[in-house]
């Protein structure tokens, strides 16, 4: 069975500081991995995805994530936080060929302080 | 292109009632997935419809049911509502090529409150 663990339900950074949101997965087959962002009272928006191509994945809004098989991790980073990055972030896993049946982590709330 | 739209955006029901939530998929998408997001939790997969047939179901009881129509829009029906059914219900659409990418496009959700 697949699962996702997001370490830290709340992360607080200062504007301009590095953002690091942690995600570890468990999967018996090579997974597809995703990061989604959810702004208040909105649906989920895809930030980036790993689908077995390059291990360093670049997404929208300056975010990137690196797939590390040895660590079963897919941490999300951004070099410099912006106030508009404050939101809920979800890591999700899906086995290849599994259409749309994502397993999500519990989410991490990112707070950006001025 | 038109994105995923859901209706209603908010609704309040009482325990034991029934509710129907609606979703129009993004243009060109033939697959619709439904997720339940309880407060402070990540979304949980309810079920998926592909070309009008159920194509996988999560750990939800039979009182959660769905339909997909020829235009690929979809309904989620919940009977005998319970207090724990209070949540944001998200619809996500995708195309057949998602088999390669797994990418979903989400609507803004329907927030259900059960009193």
């Amino acid at each position: 069975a697949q699962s996702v663990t997001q370490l830290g339900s709340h992360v607080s950074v200062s504007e301009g500081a590095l953002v690091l949101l942690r995600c570890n997965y468990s999967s018996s087959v090579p997974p597809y991995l995703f990061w989604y962002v959810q702004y208040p009272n909105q649906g989920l928006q895809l930030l980036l995805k790993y689908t077995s191509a390059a291990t360093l994945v670049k997404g929208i809004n300056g975010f990137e994530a690196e797939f590390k098989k040895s660590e079963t991790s897919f941490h999300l980073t951004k070099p410099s936080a912006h106030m508009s990055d404050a939101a809920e972030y979800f890591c999700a896993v899906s086995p290849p060929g599994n259409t749309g049946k994502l397993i999500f982590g519990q989410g991490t709330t990112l707070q950006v302080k001025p | 292109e038109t994105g995923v739209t859901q209706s209603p955006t908010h609704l309040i029901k009482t325990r034991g009632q029934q509710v129907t939530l609606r979703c129009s998929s993004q243009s060109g998408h033939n697959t619709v997935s439904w997720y339940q997001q309880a407060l402070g939790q990540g979304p949980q997969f309810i079920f998926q419809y592909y070309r009008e047939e159920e194509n996988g179901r999560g750990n939800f009881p039979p009182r959660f049911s769905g339909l997909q129509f020829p235009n690929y829009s979809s309904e989620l029906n919940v009977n005998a509502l319970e207090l724990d059914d209070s949540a944001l219900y998200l619809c996500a659409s995708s195309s057949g090529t998602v088999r390669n990418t797994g990418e979903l496009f989400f609507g803004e959700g329907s927030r259900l409150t059960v009193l």
Side-chain angles (χ1 to χ4, degrees), chain A residues 58-79:
Chain A
K58 294 187 184 296
I60 62 171
N61 302 337
F63 285 94
E64 63 181 39
E66 186 172 7
F67 172 69
K68 292 187 176 180
K69 184 178 179 181
S70 61
E71 299 178 7
T72 61
S73 68
F74 191 57
H75 302 330
L76 182 69
T77 60
K78 181 174 181 177

Side-chain angles (χ1 to χ4, degrees), chain A residues 32 34 36 38 41-46 49 51 88 90 94 96-107, chain B residues 31 33 35 37 40-43 45 48 55-56 88 90 96 98-104 106-109 111:
Chain A
Y32 288 175
F34 306 82
Y36 281 86
Q38 185 176 36
N41 300 314
Q42 293 189 25
L44 280 71
Q45 180 184 6
L46 181 67
K49 62 188 179 190
T51 57
E88 185 86 11
F90 292 96
S94 170
N98 193 335
T99 57
K101 302 167 192 174
L102 298 183
I103 297 169
F104 285 88
Q106 295 281 77
Chain B
T31 303
S33 304
Y35 287 79
Q37 185 180 16
Q41 304 292 318
F45 175 72
Q48 181 185 91
N55 181 40
L88 181 67
L90 295 166
V98 75
R99 196 169 290 279
N100 295 318
T101 68
E103 183 167 353
L104 300 178
F106 283 86
E108 295 194 349
R111 185 165 296 282

Side-chain angles (χ1 to χ4, degrees), chain A residues 4-28:
Chain A
V4 171
T5 302
Q6 291 184 239
L7 301 176
S9 58
H10 288 83
V11 170
S12 182
V13 301
S14 297
E15 192 174 18
L18 171 72
V19 175
L20 171 60
L21 304 182
R22 300 178 187 273
C23 172
N24 288 89
Y25 70 90
S26 171
S27 178
S28 58

